[in-house]
Amino acid sequence: MYSVRPEKNEDYAVIKEINDLAFNGEGEGKLIELIRGSDHFIPELSLVAEDIEGKVVGHILFSLVHIQTETGLIPTLALAPMAVLPAYQNQGIGSILVRSGLERAKELGYTHVVVLGHPNFYPKFGFIPSIKKGIESPFAVPEEVFMVAELAEGSLDQIQGKVIYPPAFETVS
Ligand SMILES: CC(C)(COP(=O)(O)OP(=O)(O)OC[C@H]1O[C@@H](n2cnc3c(N)ncnc32)[C@H](O)[C@@H]1OP(=O)(O)O)[C@@H](O)C(=O)NCCC(=O)NCCS
């Protein structure tokens, strides 16, 4: 039994710890701190999963990025990073975080989300390779790992371009 809620100040240390352990390094935890201190941060979309006793075991972040189109910048969301404590992985917590995050993003009025991630994991939540929608990755990665999900059907129909991440993302691969 796990529930999802927005992060509080007192969760910062445990969020860093979860990311350090899940990624076996400090890059993602530092990325979260950089985003938290920037205009790209959306407090309602930095979410933690906690167990019935209130132990925080997972975290997901959606932050503001843009699609550079011929006519200007279109705001969108980037899902990154996401981490679940190693001992709690493969129990569905990551999926709960993704689903809850997408629902909350939709409630806040966002209409699309991009992710760089595993092509076997994200399609079950509605993600498809972004190139199918005319959205290019800024990273030199295989087409199937850069994905997009429409939170409102057809929301990307008139949008084509390349996603721009803030420089902080360049510190993490
Ligand atoms: C990816 C991660 C957040 C998933 O959380 P989780 O609670 O284990 O996810 P769920 O139990 O809901 O789903 C498990 C699924 O994730 C897959 N999975 C596990 N680790 C994975 C990884 N590193 N990359 C891609 N998929 C992964 C499993 O194969 C499983 O797939 P299935 O549902 O088709 O069987 C978690 O495994 C993790 O923290 N991994 C290390 C950090 C990471 O790679 N984060 C993602 C990149 S930002």
Side-chain angles (χ1 to χ4, degrees):
M1 295 288 278
Y2 297 96
S3 55
V4 175
R5 61 164 174 80
E7 69 170 28
K8 300 175 190 164
N9 294 9
E10 55 263 39
D11 300 317
Y12 293 175
V14 73
I15 289 171
K16 181 173 178 346
E17 192 184 338
I18 291 168
N19 278 271
D20 290 354
L21 290 169
F23 287 99
N24 200 20
E26 295 194 348
E28 283 73 11
K30 286 183 177 161
L31 173 62
I32 292 165
E33 287 171 357
L34 285 171
I35 295 172
R36 206 182 264 132
S38 79
D39 293 345
H40 299 267
F41 186 60
I42 303 162
E44 300 93 329
L45 294 178
S46 182
L47 301 169
V48 296
E50 63 183 6
D51 72 8
I52 205 152
E53 288 166 352
K55 177 180 165 72
V56 174
V57 297
H59 172 256
I60 193 168
L61 180 64
F62 297 80
S63 58
L64 180 66
V65 298
H66 291 89
I67 305 168
Q68 174 84 66
T69 72
E70 278 184 5
T71 50
L73 294 175
I74 306 285
T76 190
L77 292 176
L79 187 177
M82 167 168 72
V84 171
L85 272 179
Y88 290 79
Q89 290 175 11
N90 291 308
Q91 298 176 32
I93 299 167
S95 298
I96 291 169
L97 281 165
V98 175
R99 290 206 171 88
S100 176
L102 294 177
E103 271 172 33
R104 287 162 191 256
K106 194 172 173 177
E107 282 166 18
L108 290 170
Y110 294 96
T111 53
H112 26 76
V113 181
V114 299
V115 68
L116 173 65
H118 203 284
N120 292 334
F121 182 65
Y122 290 100
K124 66 184 105 170
F125 311 108
F127 285 89
I128 59 169
S130 71
I131 208 70
K132 291 194 175 175
K133 284 283 174 184
I135 307 296
E136 288 173 59
S137 167
F139 310 112
V141 291
E143 282 180 358
E144 67 272 18
V145 307
F146 195 78
M147 293 167 269
V148 67
E150 287 182 338
L151 302 178
E153 203 181 328
S155 61
L156 287 168
D157 283 356
Q158 308 303 324
I159 300 172
Q160 292 198 336
K162 189 186 266 194
V163 178
I164 309 173
Y165 282 77
F169 280 87
E170 284 159 24
T171 61
V172 183
S173 57

